[in-house]
Amino acid sequence: MDNPLAIEAAKLQLTNLPHTTIKLNLNTVGVFTYELTREECESLNEDLFESIKEPMKAALEDCELKPDDVDEIVLVGGSTRIPKVRQVVGSFFKKAPNFGVDPELAFATGATVQAGVIGGGWPLQVSAMELPFAKRKKHIYRSDQIVVK
């Protein structure tokens, strides 16, 4: 691994592997190589992993629910690929989270729905009228004008 994003790449590799090698070309030191284990990474970032509990607690309090009241936990977003995140969430709710949903697709879909809500397009009101092919409008483009027939 030899690029400016070596640490990010190491994090991604530790999602699926128990260890990874970080290799950096540093101007002052030269080539720096380090073998990082998933266990060491989790230990170094323990405070970050623990901090994800507070938003879960707050969300449950807002809904006046307890962790036992939740039937299923569906994890979405890139960070949910990290095994330690799955473990912390599973421990908090005392059940295994569902992470079979594509995180980026779920996130993008949720953001799209939220944009519709904020933009006043919710609930969706879709209406369409299918015209026979012979009666469809035809657009003819001419320099700076559009003629509709």
Side-chain angles (χ1 to χ4, degrees):
M1 185 182 314
D2 190 13
N3 62 55
L5 300 174
I7 303 302
E8 178 67 16
K11 180 189 82 168
L12 295 174
Q13 288 179 350
L14 290 174
T15 296
N16 298 315
L17 302 171
H19 58 85
T20 187
T21 302
I22 300 171
K23 184 177 179 183
L24 301 168
N25 282 323
L26 303 173
N27 293 336
T28 56
V29 185
V31 176
F32 172 79
T33 305
Y34 188 80
E35 183 79 17
L36 180 65
T37 66
R38 181 186 297 162
E39 189 175 291
E40 183 181 12
C41 182
E42 290 173 356
S43 175
L44 291 168
N45 293 289
E46 186 64 32
D47 59 330
L48 294 174
F49 291 120
E50 286 299 311
S51 72
I52 65 175
K53 292 179 182 176
E54 288 307 314
M56 292 187 294
K57 289 178 188 175
L60 289 174
E61 286 174 12
D62 288 350
C63 299
E64 299 178 359
L65 295 173
K66 296 179 291 248
D68 294 342
D69 297 328
V70 177
D71 294 327
E72 184 177 18
I73 303 98
V74 179
L75 299 179
V76 296
S79 295
T80 62
R81 288 190 171 112
I82 300 171
K84 185 67 174 180
V85 169
R86 295 174 183 174
Q87 186 264 321
V88 170
V89 172
S91 292
F92 181 83
F93 286 99
K94 296 179 180 74
K95 60 185 75 162
N98 177 346
F99 51 87
V101 177
D102 177 29
E104 281 79 22
L105 178 61
F107 182 82
T109 302
T112 303
V113 169
Q114 187 62 30
V117 170
I118 291 170
W122 195 262
L124 293 177
Q125 296 177 356
V126 178
S127 61
M129 184 172 77
E130 192 65 34
L131 297 174
F133 183 77
K135 296 184 181 180
R136 289 191 181 173
K137 294 181 181 178
K138 297 178 185 175
H139 296 272
I140 302 171
Y141 297 94
R142 294 186 189 157
S143 59
D144 62 350
Q145 65 181 18
I146 298 175
V147 177
V148 178
K149 290 186 176 183

